Structures are given as C-alpha cells and as structure tokens.
Amino acid sequence: MDKLLLRGNGPLRGELRISGAKNAALPCLAASILAREPVGLRNIPHLRDVTTTLELLSCLGARVLVDEQLGVEIDPRSVHSLVAPYELVKTMRASILVLGPLLARYGSAEVSLPGGCAIGSRPVTVHLNGLQALGAEIRLEDGFVKARAQRLRGASIVMEMVSVTGTENLLMAATLAEGHTRIENAAREPEVVDLARMLTAMGARISGAGTSVIEVEGVDSLHGCEHQILPDRIETGTYLVAAAMTGGDVFLRRTDPRLLDSVLAKLREAGAELQEDGDGIRLRMQQRPRAVDIRTAPYPAFPTDMQAQFMALDAIAEGSAKITETIFENRFMHVSELQRLGAHIDSDGKTAVVRGVPRLQGAPVMATDLRASACLVLAGLVAEGETLIDRIYHLDRGYEVIEEKLGALGADIRRVRNQSGKAA
C-alpha cells in the first residue's frame, strides 16, 4: 500500500495549474445517462473517484472513451443494465448520483447503498424522499435501493436538510419528469450550478440554480452536449493554505477565485497577501500565520472540505483558534494524528481549540478520510524531520498527483510503498 514521505523543506514557490473539480465531475458524469446522444466532458480530473464512476458507467453499458488531452466522451445509448453493483459503489458515496438519472431515463434503478469516507452520517433519506415525491416507488432490499416509476411527475419538494448530492440527484431526475418541479432548501454550491449549466446545454429547463429554490420544467428528452468542468475550489484552497503555512509565494492558474470568498477572507485574516488575476490567484506569506477561527456551514459560508486544512494552519499559527464543524459529526478524526506531530488541540467532537506551536515534529501518521489526508500533507510540509502518511488511497480519491504538484513547488515529498522508503 502506497504512503507519502515528506520532509519539511522551507517555503513553496512557483506556479501550478488547478484541476477540474471532482465534486462537479461526478454528477456531470452521472448526468450523461439522461441523454439520447453522446456527451463530451472536458477538464475532467484524473482521480480514483472519477475512474470508479467511469467504470460504473461502463458496467451499466455506456460506451466510455477517455482522451488525455480532449477529456471524456460517454455514449449512453448502449446502456443495458440498471444495476449499480456493490463492488463499485462501496468505495464512493457519490455513486448514489446514478439513481435519479437511471430512474428518470429508464423508469427503474437498483443502486447499492454507498460507501466512502467515514466522516459521519450522510443518509440517502433526502434522496429517497425526494424521488418518492416525484412518484417513484422505492424499496430497500439486500443492501440495494430499488426504485421504479413509469414516468416521474413534477412535484414541490422541501428538502429536510441541505444536501449537495441530494439536490443534484433530484435536479437530474426532475429534468425528465412530467410537469413542474420546485426544490426548496436546495444546496447552493458552485458544483450544483455547474451541473445545472450542463443539463441546460442538454436541453433541460432549469432556473434558480445557485439559490435555495430551484425550478425545473420537465422535458421529454435530453440531447448530447459538450461541457467544461469548473475548477476545483477545494484543491485551490488546499494549495493556498500550503503556501501560507510554509511562508511561500505561489501562483495558481486555471482556477476561479470567486468560488473561494470565505476561504480567501480567512487567509487574509491569517496574514496572507492575495492577488486575484482573472483565472488565477497568487498568495504570498511573509510572516508566521495568525490563528483564525473557523465555523463550517453550507455554501457560501466556509466549506467543511477546508476545515482540516485550516486546522493544520492553526496548529503552527501565532495564537489560538476555535474550529467548529456543523456539517458532519465525525470530521475531527485528524485531530489525533496532528497531535502525533506535536499539535496542541483540545476537541469535544464538534469543536476544537487549537493553540499554535512554532514547529511540528515529523512522525508516522495515518489518513482517515480525504480531507484529513490533505491536512496531514500540509502538516508534513512544515514539520521537522520525516512524516510518513499511511492510507493515502483516500488522498488519491480527490487530489490529482499531489506529490508531483507539491514537488514542482519545491516540497520534499515522494510516494513510497513501505516504511523502508522503497520508491513506488
């Protein structure tokens, strides 16, 4: 099993290209099922979750072509199976996103209950209740969600909780439902807007994406399209925090600073100098970071997917900070691993108080989920000695060749297969 070996190596300096957003690519890939013609997606990131989704689409019978330069083309006309098997779904919660498109397009779907990061309860109830409101008959049997509907019917849906994947599933299903659908308490994330933009290019009639109320007028069919995935705001934020922690000077291109207002505000509060330049952003840090309080909440507030990275920053910052997690109830599993590196953190499960120390100390640590993996990488960049991170398969689900990108900025980081340091 691969690991990452890091040695603290001073400031990061240089330029990086940001990849397409995983959390936009996955629903857009699922949306291709709705079309009656091929769909082309550009700026698709090379990630394990994307590979798993492409395998799932192939398993359903779709024809998938991958070109390293041009992107991905999916031809859904050959779909012959309506079953998403456990072997593929077990590693990725986003697999539930094929439920709505299969049901809307073919009137039937069987999707294994999903797996993924163990960061707390993310129930599929909001998906199922919404689909039932659209007229689906749903049963849970043998670990599968089994759904049927002759044709979905438009409805007024009030989501009991803000759910990004729930909003996306219901939005996709509603595009082919008969009549008008109104989704209230919808997620406002940029990835939802990106999906709506793709569906609109396919012929869907959608308004309100990016607000808490989305309206959909169902159509009889959707055609193919070409769609460019938006930049990954979480990858952007992660590399900005890495530059801030190391006292670096980094320019990130092919990104969109407008998607990161809450993160950029906290970086400025920490003492970073930021310069936005069209589709790029530069960060310079010429001082020890100042500790910043964080409270996660749905977009446009501070994203839960950046909480762990800012905990790493606060661990070496001047002063103390309070971090409050409101989205997931089990997303402080990285606390104990940061403590192994010498961080001073007190946590009660939902709130953590971090007292910054001048320097962390390298040690063997273990990643527990995707963003916790990134947090440990950032900590390893500033720790004295060697930091060896185990279970980095989590990292590969959401960061494209992170060791190559950080290495290009001057980080001392490499992938290894065992504790002896033998190269992968």
Side-chain angles (χ1 to χ4, degrees):
M1 185 179 294
D2 287 4
K3 301 176 177 64
L4 281 181
L5 180 66
L6 298 94
R7 298 180 181 88
N9 195 39
L12 298 180
R13 301 188 187 281
E15 180 178 314
L16 278 186
R17 180 186 68 83
I18 294 299
S19 302
K22 181 197 81 160
N23 290 339
L26 300 184
C28 288
L29 287 169
S32 67
I33 296 171
L34 294 163
R36 293 185 178 273
E37 298 169 343
V39 169
L41 296 175
R42 308 295 175 249
N43 202 30
I44 292 283
H46 300 286
L47 302 169
R48 181 172 295 184
D49 278 8
V50 169
T51 300
T52 300
T53 302
L54 293 175
E55 290 176 358
L56 176 55
L57 292 174
S58 295
C59 180
L60 297 174
R63 183 169 170 263
V64 176
L65 294 176
V66 179
D67 186 290
E68 295 293 330
Q69 301 299 320
L70 299 178
V72 175
E73 181 176 279
I74 302 111
D75 188 343
R77 292 175 295 183
S78 53
V79 167
H80 57 76
S81 172
L82 306 179
V83 179
Y86 175 70
E87 289 71 24
L88 288 174
V89 174
K90 65 182 180 181
T91 62
M92 189 180 66
R93 288 180 185 264
S95 302
I96 194 70
L97 286 169
V98 300
L99 178 62
L102 285 174
L103 184 61
R105 176 74 172 82
Y106 297 100
S108 178
E110 295 186 14
V111 179
S112 175
L113 290 169
C117 289
I119 59 173
S121 175
R122 292 188 282 185
V124 298
T125 306
V126 67
H127 302 244
L128 306 188
N129 288 346
L131 292 173
Q132 285 177 321
L134 294 172
E137 298 177 4
I138 293 177
R139 294 175 293 134
L140 299 179
E141 289 183 358
D142 306 320
F144 277 80
V145 177
K146 299 183 178 182
R148 302 284 186 274
Q150 188 168 6
R151 185 182 180 185
L152 296 175
R153 301 183 304 274
S156 180
I157 301 169
V158 180
M159 297 178 65
E160 61 195 63
M161 59 180 289
V162 178
S163 166
V164 175
T165 54
T167 299
E168 291 165 344
N169 230 339
L170 299 179
L171 174 59
M172 289 186 284
T175 60
L176 294 181
E178 183 179 4
H180 180 84
T181 297
R182 178 183 173 91
I183 305 172
E184 297 186 45
N185 200 28
R188 301 166 59 187
E189 270 72 2
E191 293 79 15
V192 174
V193 178
D194 199 51
L195 172 63
R197 191 159 48 240
M198 173 187 171
L199 293 169
T200 300
M202 294 165 63
R205 299 171 63 188
I206 300 168
S207 62
T211 75
S212 60
V213 179
I214 299 177
E215 310 262 2
V216 184
E217 290 290 342
V219 297
D220 291 333
S221 65
L222 295 174
H223 52 73
C225 75
E226 297 284 328
H227 179 69
Q228 178 97 357
I229 301 297
L230 89 170
D232 194 323
R233 61 192 172 103
I234 304 303
E235 185 192 33
T236 301
T238 300
Y239 287 123
L240 290 175
V241 173
M245 289 178 63
T246 61
D249 184 346
V250 170
F251 179 74
L252 305 180
R253 55 188 173 85
R254 290 183 61 178
T255 187
D256 187 347
R258 296 171 298 176
L259 306 179
L260 287 159
D261 286 345
S262 61
V263 172
L264 300 185
K266 288 298 178 180
L267 285 167
R268 288 189 175 98
E269 187 179 333
E273 300 173 19
L274 294 168
Q275 180 180 351
E276 300 176 25
D277 181 18
D279 67 347
I281 184 166
R282 181 184 183 187
L283 181 145
R284 287 184 294 178
M285 179 66 91
Q286 302 184 68
Q287 63 181 64
R288 180 183 175 188
R290 294 188 294 266
V292 291
D293 294 336
I294 297 296
R295 181 181 181 86
T296 67
Y299 189 87
F302 192 89
T304 181
D305 280 351
M306 285 299 302
Q307 175 257 110
Q309 296 91 314
F310 268 80
M311 186 177 289
L313 181 146
D314 281 337
I316 54 95
E318 182 177 355
S320 298
K322 181 180 179 181
I323 297 178
T324 305
E325 173 62 53
T326 71
I327 307 297
F328 297 121
E329 75 277 9
N330 195 26
R331 208 167 198 184
F332 280 160
M333 291 186 290
H334 46 279
V335 167
S336 59
E337 300 304 302
L338 285 174
Q339 289 170 334
R340 286 179 52 79
L341 298 174
H344 290 176
I345 306 171
D346 295 315
S347 171
D348 64 5
K350 293 185 178 180
T351 302
V353 176
V354 187
R355 298 188 302 277
V357 297
R359 193 78 171 176
L360 299 175
Q361 299 293 324
V365 291
M366 181 178 68
T368 53
D369 62 69
L370 171 54
R371 304 308 172 184
S373 305
C375 157
L376 297 176
V377 169
L378 300 186
L381 292 174
V382 297
E384 291 182 347
E386 293 187 350
T387 300
L388 186 68
I389 307 174
D390 200 358
R391 295 177 67 181
I392 62 166
Y393 58 84
H394 290 294
L395 196 69
D396 292 335
R397 291 182 49 234
Y399 289 92
E400 189 174 42
V401 293
I402 191 170
E403 68 274 19
E404 294 181 18
K405 288 190 173 185
L406 286 173
L409 298 177
D412 188 344
I413 178 174
R414 63 190 177 98
R415 188 174 291 247
V416 299
R417 291 201 182 279
N418 53 56
Q419 293 188 357
S420 68
K422 183 177 180 181

